[in-house]
Amino acid sequence: MQLIEPSRNVGNINTVSPARFQELDIRYILEEYGLEYKEQDNYLQIGEITPVQGWILHISSIRAQFIPLLKKVIPELILANVPFKVGKSKDIVKYLLDGYLGFTQFGKLLCIYPPENQVLALARKLVQLTSGFRGPAILTDIALGGTVYTRYGSFNPIIRVNENGFPERFIYDASGELISDHCPIPFKMPKDIIWPFEDLAQPVLPMTKKLLNDRYKPLSIIKLDIKGRVIKGIYFKGAFNIKPCLIKEGIKDVWADEYERDIVDRLIWQHELYQDLAEAIPSPKIFDLFQEQNNTYLVMEFIKGITLDQKISSVYNGNSWFDLSTNQKLTLIGFLLKILSSINKLHERGYVHRDITPVNFLLDKKGTIFLIDLELSYSFLHHKPNPSFKLGTAGYMSPEQEQNQVPTAKEDVYALGAMLFMVLVGLPPIKLDVSPAEGMMPHLDFFIESPSIADLIKKCLYSVPEKRPMLSQIKSGLERYHEEVTAHFYTGHNTERDKRADPREIVSLIQNGITGLSNHLSISAINVWESVKEKMDISGIPSVERVPQAGMHTGMTGILYLLALSKRMGFNIDACKDGYDQSWEYLQDQYLHQPYNSLPEGLYDGFAGIAMAIQEGMQSGLLKGEIYKTQMQSCFQVSRSGFSLARGIAGQGTALLRCKQTLTDEFCQPLLDQYICILLEAQQKDGSWNNYREERKHNDNLIGLAYGTAGILCFLINYVQQKKDDKVMASIVKGLRWLQKHASKKRNIYTWTTSTRSKSVDIWGCNMGMPGIALTFIKAYKLLGSALYKEIAENTLRPLPKRPIYIDYTQAFGLAGLGEVYLEATNVLQDEEWQQRTDWIANVFIHTFLSLGEKAGYWPVNVFPDFEADLMTGTSGILHFLMRYLIPDKIGYILLNK
């Protein structure tokens, strides 16, 4: 076995101290050199970039060396008089280096745009200047030397809206034709482009070895990560001795902290830990630690099993704790007792775990729970690593861990309290407001059936470490609870949990949520709302990049729509008024005064959504003047994007039906007639519309509300409610027959997949799943009165969890959207069951609202703690559900007419 020792040059002349790095302002450094700059997305741009395309030079660095590197390189860039961009802040530098802005931006701290006649000479000089510095490899580029990399691409990309309605970057090929500039990974030499760096490097990637260290054969990638892959492989121990193994890869200079320690150091530390703990705690056996092609590999036993996170999810299956069987409850409590035993042994050996979460425990078929990730652990006997490695998992990190204080066992007590909440509720602890501690109890009492366990969780989550209980106290509490559950001590019934939510509490919650929309987490320096930029990336790392977006689904238009509706319903939006005004100015400047092709026509991400938001703004009195009526009209034309509710004709028609309150019949009716004519002509003989799941898969038709036949039918139903039309009625019946045909019916229960060829069933999402289809049949029953449609709607919804527990809270994919469907069912189907289900969801939102200070707050809408303000994917959607819950007679299903 080849062992590796750490070889880090901490404190060298190319390093800035961690404290100093935190203080440094990149703008200040540029100003020291007398450089003017402008903000360009995540960068500060110096100089004007005039060419369309060419060879871009990128410079990488680890964080601790970035400032010295910058000061070494900037004088040369000034001398060469070339434009360049630099990561605009220390946070952006960290995001670029940690992969949170995507694989294609990874490591690109400096982007330099030299003219063709300077590129080679400048590259030579930069290679010389950066030799001796460290930096992660840039995945889209070829290394030239030092920390300099290059690729051929766009300086000033030509932006075109593609056939799906999204902006795309283009450059010219050698023949002058426009081609997509898509940053391939790994680097790919462009066709007919000359390589100018012959004397520095060749545009050839190193060969991938079939065997690592001559004995480990990779078989499949379990996890693709910026830090390195997690690989399933086989281990050739001898000619007739082959066994499966797990290979953890550490890529050199990735995730380097302020002390120059990278992922390699973490693998070395894990190796040491596993070796020491092998006999004490269930953990994988270690086979090897070695370096190859600049990367480091930790090889260990492959344990066949599932993570505890997956097991917990399968046990709950969307239900609440109160709806689990006694055996299921005892199983979950048993997991906690086993984890507690392992952590106790870990402490006895002198270690703090520091990352106790369900994903870091593996459960095999025998029920053994293995510790599978120890990289954040700390030895309080030997005081190493010193300082301890940063990070952890949101919701499980104690305040002192977040502040990177010297670790103690009390950090693990806090994490165990969070783990108790997760295992005994089914929700991640980021959903629980832990400050102040006493304020937790009403929320814990709602979710936890045992008052003593609720009190134990509260004590574990105290912000003051000394107030937290001992591990022995946690164990005693869990063992008592195990006995109580075994004896059926709890009935699972609680009138507080099952009652209708207090209207006064809902009013207060809505108002605080509206105020919370104005917080700095989602509103930019220019006072417009920003949303997470969705990237088609291979990293799997959640993006943290936020940009202004125009969408109703995800973007500022949906927030503006919600705020206008809130004002019309009597809520105070003063805290958001500046943001409202500035965001409308932004939409006007960027889209409404620009050429029409700058946005698609759709409801979810284009002009139809903007029209609906203008209509709501005018109704509420927030938008005044004929200019808005004119702009509303300009948002409508015939869609080029298909037929769906989200992006096509059905969505435009839905918006136009809403806007008829303001626009004239002379404008609306001919356009509506055109929409209807297109949809009737496009309907297939079987009753469907061609909404294909993927291009070229013409036999795989989407079914659901947002992108499929169900959403088109909802528009047609809304249309005939306003104007009777026998042809449209016949089309609706034909389409409903197609939906019914594609249901799977077993024991009178209806189930739909997301498309006609898919095997995926989504029981939560209104966009693509069963709740949205059920909504279509509810609306059909209201229109046509057919008992069959009522039966289909009821028997689609009834098998779903009665008291649902689900991580996703959004309108598009989670609880808020399901709640809206239950509200519709309550109103139309006239059954108390749907009201009770709606009450439960409203109460879940009451008890998982996070405070942002006095009278303001939000909900973490999924597994991440970030604040999202958006309508269909954020807090605004929850507010819409709660307003509708409060005053259902005044507000219809989200974005659809009542």
Side-chain angles (χ1 to χ4, degrees):
M1 179 170 64
Q2 178 188 355
L3 294 179
I4 302 170
E5 296 298 330
S7 56
R8 297 292 178 258
N9 186 17
V10 178
N12 64 40
I13 58 171
N14 291 332
T15 301
V16 65
S17 72
R20 181 68 177 136
F21 178 82
Q22 295 300 323
E23 295 170 5
L24 285 170
D25 186 330
I26 292 168
R27 288 176 170 83
Y28 175 74
I29 293 170
L30 297 177
E31 290 163 6
E32 276 187 332
Y33 288 97
L35 295 171
E36 295 183 357
Y37 55 83
K38 62 182 178 182
E39 194 165 317
Q40 193 79 5
D41 296 326
N42 294 309
Y43 294 88
L44 301 176
Q45 179 178 317
I46 296 86
E48 290 302 317
I49 305 171
T50 52
V52 172
Q53 64 201 59
W55 287 100
I56 307 166
L57 300 177
H58 293 118
I59 297 183
S60 173
S61 171
I62 61 173
R63 270 192 292 164
Q65 295 182 353
F66 180 55
I67 299 304
L69 181 145
L70 198 58
K71 290 186 174 183
K72 205 161 190 177
V73 166
I74 283 178
E76 184 62 32
L77 299 180
I78 294 172
L79 184 64
N81 193 29
V82 294
F84 64 96
K85 294 178 183 177
V86 57
K88 68 181 179 182
S89 68
K90 65 179 185 294
D91 286 337
I92 291 298
V93 167
K94 184 178 186 304
Y95 294 154
L96 287 166
L97 291 174
D98 289 351
Y100 289 113
L101 300 181
F103 268 27
T104 59
Q105 291 298 107
F106 176 65
K108 296 177 181 178
L109 305 189
L110 266 171
C111 310
I112 304 160
Y113 305 89
E116 187 177 352
N117 61 354
Q118 281 184 256
V119 65
L120 177 57
L122 183 59
R124 283 199 195 105
K125 187 64 178 177
L126 293 175
V127 167
Q128 179 187 349
L129 289 173
T130 61
S131 63
F133 286 89
R134 292 168 53 198
I138 294 174
L139 304 176
T140 60
D141 293 23
I142 282 288
L144 297 179
T147 63
V148 182
Y149 295 78
T150 191
R151 69 174 287 267
Y152 190 89
S154 56
F155 286 18
N156 279 305
I158 298 166
I159 305 295
R160 293 284 185 269
V161 176
N162 64 22
E163 60 187 14
N164 294 319
F166 293 107
E168 190 173 342
R169 298 158 63 98
F170 288 87
I171 58 174
Y172 293 104
D173 66 10
S175 64
E177 295 295 319
L178 281 178
I179 59 171
S180 178
D181 182 20
H182 61 283
C183 293
I185 298 173
F187 174 85
K188 186 178 180 182
M189 187 67 186
K191 186 180 179 182
D192 298 326
I193 299 295
I194 296 172
W195 175 255
F197 307 104
E198 287 286 342
D199 61 342
L200 289 175
Q202 295 301 315
V204 179
L205 296 168
M207 292 288 291
T208 302
K209 294 185 67 174
K210 292 183 178 180
L211 289 180
L212 295 171
N213 208 25
D214 298 323
R215 69 185 74 178
Y216 306 106
K217 179 177 177 60
L219 296 179
S220 60
I221 296 173
I222 295 174
K223 182 182 179 184
L224 191 63
D225 196 294
I226 206 83
K227 298 173 289 184
R229 299 164 297 170
V230 179
I231 305 166
K232 182 181 180 182
I234 50 176
Y235 172 23
F236 293 94
K237 194 171 183 179
F240 302 101
N241 189 356
I242 301 173
K243 60 171 58 180
C245 64
L246 187 79
I247 307 167
K248 296 184 76 171
E249 179 183 55
I251 298 177
K252 183 184 176 186
D253 292 332
V254 175
W255 267 43
D257 62 16
E258 300 95 322
Y259 302 92
E260 301 190 51
R261 302 173 302 182
D262 61 13
I263 190 60
V264 173
D265 294 286
R266 295 190 180 216
L267 285 184
I268 293 168
W269 175 234
Q270 283 187 69
H271 177 263
E272 182 180 337
L273 280 165
Y274 280 123
Q275 296 286 68
D276 187 35
L277 296 170
E279 302 302 322
I281 297 169
S283 58
K285 295 175 183 177
I286 299 300
F287 298 151
D288 208 349
L289 179 71
F290 62 91
Q291 284 182 341
E292 196 155 283
Q293 293 183 328
N294 285 327
N295 297 329
T296 300
Y297 297 88
L298 178 64
V299 186
M300 63 185 71
E301 174 189 12
F302 181 84
I303 299 170
K304 191 173 182 180
I306 61 173
T307 65
L308 189 58
D309 185 59
Q310 293 170 313
K311 182 63 178 178
I312 292 167
S313 178
S314 68
V315 170
Y316 273 98
N317 196 28
N319 293 290
S320 74
W321 176 266
F322 313 104
D323 298 308
L324 299 183
S325 69
T326 298
N327 284 339
Q328 287 173 318
K329 292 179 180 180
L330 293 175
T331 296
L332 293 173
I333 298 170
F335 292 154
L336 289 170
L337 287 168
K338 288 180 181 180
I339 289 169
L340 199 61
S341 175
S342 289
I343 299 303
N344 186 54
K345 291 175 183 177
L346 195 70
H347 289 184
E348 289 173 351
R349 296 295 290 259
Y351 296 102
V352 188
H353 189 286
R354 303 185 70 241
D355 201 14
I356 298 171
T357 75
V359 296
N360 286 337
F361 295 91
L362 193 70
L363 183 71
D364 72 3
K365 289 183 178 180
K366 296 179 180 179
T368 304
I369 294 181
F370 294 84
L371 275 68
I372 58 170
D373 198 338
L374 294 168
E375 73 173 53
L376 293 184
S377 295
Y378 174 81
S379 170
F380 54 77
L381 291 181
H382 302 290
H383 309 291
K384 67 176 189 179
N386 186 24
S388 58
F389 290 125
K390 286 186 177 180
L391 298 180
T393 304
Y396 296 88
M397 280 190 293
S398 66
E400 65 269 25
Q401 184 174 349
E402 290 181 357
Q403 296 161 15
N404 208 38
Q405 296 178 16
V406 176
T408 71
K410 291 296 185 179
E411 286 188 7
D412 283 353
V413 173
Y414 187 97
L416 284 166
M419 188 77 143
L420 261 63
F421 181 83
M422 170 65 191
V423 176
L424 302 180
V425 173
L427 289 173
I430 58 163
K431 304 284 191 183
L432 179 67
D433 198 339
V434 299
S435 179
E438 293 305 325
M440 275 189 268
M441 285 312 295
H443 310 311
L444 288 171
D445 286 340
F446 176 79
F447 289 112
I448 304 289
E449 65 183 356
S450 164
S452 62
I453 289 293
D455 186 62
L456 181 62
I457 293 173
K458 180 195 75 173
K459 289 175 179 176
C460 288
L461 297 177
Y462 274 138
S463 59
V464 179
E466 293 74 21
K467 290 186 176 182
R468 295 174 201 153
M470 305 292 288
L471 292 188
S472 59
Q473 293 173 291
I474 301 174
K475 180 184 177 185
S476 297
L478 282 174
E479 287 174 340
R480 281 195 303 272
Y481 188 38
H482 192 280
E483 292 170 2
E484 290 169 350
V485 171
T486 303
H488 303 285
F489 186 79
Y490 300 99
T491 64
H493 179 72
N494 183 312
T495 54
E496 292 299 310
R497 296 186 186 99
D498 296 325
K499 71 176 184 179
R500 186 167 174 79
D502 185 342
R504 293 168 300 179
E505 200 164 5
I506 294 291
V507 168
S508 176
L509 197 63
I510 294 170
Q511 187 59 67
N512 292 347
I514 291 168
T515 303
L517 291 175
S518 65
N519 80 82
H520 71 283
L521 299 173
S522 66
I523 204 160
S524 74
I526 59 172
N527 217 9
V528 303
W529 276 280
E530 296 181 319
S531 302
V532 172
K533 185 178 181 181
E534 294 186 355
K535 290 179 175 291
M536 294 302 292
D537 207 305
I538 61 172
S539 67
I541 297 176
S543 174
V544 297
E545 184 175 6
R546 293 176 181 270
V547 294
Q549 296 182 54
M552 176 70 86
H553 184 277
T554 301
M556 64 183 72
T557 297
I559 303 164
L560 300 178
Y561 171 85
L562 184 278
L563 287 172
L565 176 65
S566 302
K567 186 177 187 300
R568 187 158 63 87
M569 295 299 115
F571 290 95
N572 185 341
I573 68 161
D574 288 350
C576 300
K577 187 61 168 60
D578 287 345
Y580 185 91
D581 294 338
Q582 292 299 318
S583 293
W584 267 117
E585 284 191 26
Y586 181 90
L587 287 175
Q588 289 174 322
D589 291 343
Q590 296 294 318
Y591 303 108
L592 296 173
H593 296 160
Q594 297 294 324
Y596 190 78
N597 68 358
S598 60
L599 271 185
E601 302 90 354
L603 175 61
Y604 273 22
D605 53 14
F607 282 107
I610 292 177
M612 192 179 283
I614 293 173
Q615 167 63 28
E616 195 59 59
M618 295 183 73
Q619 271 192 285
S620 67
L622 289 169
L623 301 179
K624 298 175 182 177
E626 285 295 310
I627 184 174
Y628 292 107
K629 183 176 177 180
T630 302
Q631 288 176 346
M632 190 193 305
Q633 279 192 187
S634 72
C635 289
F636 293 102
Q637 65 174 12
V638 177
S639 173
R640 299 168 294 175
S641 303
F643 314 116
S644 71
L645 184 69
R647 294 180 181 167
I649 289 286
Q652 287 183 271
T654 297
L656 190 55
L657 287 174
R658 180 75 66 90
C659 295
K660 279 184 70 178
Q661 299 172 58
T662 299
L663 302 177
T664 64
D665 281 345
E666 289 78 13
F667 174 82
C668 294
Q669 197 56 53
L671 200 50
L672 281 169
D673 290 343
Q674 193 174 3
Y675 292 163
I676 293 295
C677 181
I678 291 171
L679 289 176
L680 295 188
E681 288 181 358
Q683 189 174 26
Q684 303 298 297
K685 289 182 179 179
D686 61 6
S688 69
W689 283 266
N690 290 332
N691 297 293
Y692 301 125
R693 185 165 66 95
E694 292 181 28
E695 190 181 356
R696 296 186 299 276
K697 288 195 174 181
H698 289 179
N699 57 352
D700 191 6
N701 216 331
L702 291 163
I703 297 172
L705 185 68
Y707 305 100
T709 290
I712 299 171
L713 292 174
C714 278
F715 162 60
L716 295 178
I717 289 169
N718 283 346
Y719 177 82
V720 297
Q721 284 174 333
Q722 296 191 24
K723 183 181 179 181
K724 298 297 181 185
D725 186 310
D726 291 340
K727 289 183 178 179
V728 177
M729 292 285 277
S731 173
I732 292 168
V733 172
K734 191 176 177 182
L736 291 167
R737 195 179 300 124
W738 181 85
L739 282 181
Q740 185 184 355
K741 177 183 175 183
H742 282 86
S744 171
K745 186 180 179 184
K746 294 180 181 178
R747 295 189 296 275
N748 212 34
I749 292 173
Y750 289 83
T751 306
W752 278 268
T753 55
T754 54
S755 68
T756 53
R757 295 291 297 274
S758 172
K759 295 181 180 179
S760 173
V761 175
D762 181 359
I763 69 167
W764 300 105
C766 284
N767 267 8
M768 303 265 303
M770 288 167 52
I773 298 170
L775 174 75
T776 305
F777 281 99
I778 293 170
K779 287 186 166 293
Y781 171 66
K782 184 178 180 180
L783 174 71
L784 301 169
S786 168
L788 173 62
Y789 300 151
K790 180 180 181 182
E791 175 200 325
I792 293 173
E794 289 178 330
N795 291 335
T796 300
L797 295 176
R798 191 160 281 129
L800 304 185
K802 294 179 180 179
R803 288 183 272 198
I805 288 290
Y806 190 50
I807 290 172
D808 195 302
Y809 279 11
T810 64
Q811 282 277 353
F813 311 109
L815 282 188
L818 181 60
E820 294 254 1
V821 174
Y822 285 154
L823 279 168
E824 195 77 11
T826 301
N827 177 50
V828 175
L829 305 181
Q830 299 293 307
D831 189 323
E832 184 62 23
E833 176 182 359
W834 313 120
Q835 181 64 60
Q836 290 171 357
R837 295 191 184 198
T838 312
D839 294 339
W840 167 265
I841 293 175
N843 278 304
V844 167
F845 289 146
I846 287 174
H847 292 289
T848 54
F849 186 69
L850 302 191
S851 173
L852 283 169
E854 188 176 355
K855 296 184 177 179
Y858 74 107
W859 291 269
V861 292
N862 50 44
V863 71
F864 306 111
D866 307 315
F867 174 71
E868 312 297 345
D870 310 283
L871 183 66
M872 298 299 286
T873 56
T875 284
S876 290
I878 300 172
L879 293 172
H880 188 283
F881 161 72
L882 290 173
M883 273 193 282
R884 192 173 171 217
Y885 178 83
L886 186 70
I887 38 180
D889 56 319
K890 293 185 178 180
I891 303 174
Y893 184 87
I894 191 165
L895 300 184
L896 300 180
N897 296 308
K898 197 166 166 58

